[in-house]
Amino acid sequence: MDDRTHASGAVWPFRFAVATAVWTLGLLVIGGFFYPGYDQGGQFISELGAVDAPTYPWAGWLGIIPIGVLQCLFCLTAACSAPKSGLALAGFVALAGYGVGAIGGGIFPCDASSGCMPDDPSVSQMLHNAIGGGGYLIGVLGLVLVAIAALGWQGGRWLGVLGLAAAATAITALFAIEAWLEWRGGLQRTAEAAFLIWFIACGSWLRRAR
């Protein structure tokens, strides 16, 4: 059986992947414009939706949360369109945790004080850290699982290699934040870019391999 046999909706993962990237870029550009002095390299994306930020609350409800929804929709449609295997399904389910983390991070905004890293965090900040941080970690795990599955897809080996590279880049950037807090914005965006590049690549492969 040809491993490239997919559902008729294989075009949707690509559309949701591109929409996620466009929405993310739009949030960064528009949010940064309306947040005086916002430093893209030195501030978290979450700071755009932080309580008392100039862009609160719309950056969270119109930016961060929709991005998370689009990420989940990508994972759902990709899981339905990709070659069927338990490993791939488990990977896409875990990868959807990345989107759930964004949704949770938008619903529970961080505290604007100390760059969303206060010494005495609010309940919202603690939930933000737990859901958002957990989303990144389970998302990396999901990416690794799907990438391993993709290594066995007909014509998908490159996608698997790219997925493993993206996972390595994302986890390295995320763990480097604590060591280089002054570059936390750039490091977070590096992790986000690794996910988004793979999302678009996966969506493109699924669309071509229908």
Side-chain angles (χ1 to χ4, degrees):
M1 179 180 293
D2 190 339
D3 285 340
R4 294 181 299 174
T5 300
H6 307 292
S8 61
V11 68
W12 284 104
F14 179 73
R15 291 175 177 174
F16 285 129
V18 171
T20 300
V22 170
W23 211 289
T24 301
L25 181 60
L27 171 64
L28 294 176
V29 172
I30 298 172
F33 179 81
F34 286 102
Y35 190 130
Y38 183 77
D39 182 0
Q40 298 282 358
Q43 290 182 263
F44 288 123
I45 298 172
S46 297
E47 292 183 60
L48 291 171
V51 176
D52 296 328
T55 46
Y56 174 82
W58 65 262
W61 289 97
L62 299 179
I64 297 172
I65 293 174
I67 288 170
V69 171
L70 288 169
Q71 290 166 349
C72 289
L73 289 172
F74 163 80
C75 293
L76 173 63
T77 54
C80 293
S81 304
K84 300 299 182 287
S85 74
L87 186 61
L89 179 59
F92 280 118
V93 170
L95 192 54
Y98 168 55
V100 172
I103 295 171
I107 293 175
F108 301 104
C110 61
D111 304 334
S113 61
S114 303
C116 285
M117 301 178 69
D119 293 329
D120 185 21
S122 67
V123 172
S124 181
Q125 173 75 63
M126 289 188 286
L127 289 171
H128 178 91
N129 290 346
I131 300 173
Y136 274 123
L137 294 179
I138 195 171
V140 170
L141 173 61
L143 184 52
V144 170
L145 294 178
V146 177
I148 293 173
L151 291 173
W153 295 347
Q154 183 175 333
R157 184 173 179 80
W158 68 270
L159 185 63
V161 173
L162 180 62
L164 293 175
T169 299
I171 199 66
T172 300
L174 291 171
F175 276 105
I177 288 176
E178 188 173 353
W180 289 291
L181 282 177
E182 67 274 20
W183 296 106
R184 60 186 182 272
L187 290 168
Q188 183 190 29
R189 285 158 177 75
T190 298
E192 294 283 349
F195 276 106
L196 291 176
I197 289 171
W198 188 83
F199 277 20
I200 292 173
C202 181
S204 178
W205 184 84
L206 289 171
R207 184 179 62 169
R208 293 197 313 271
R210 286 177 59 184

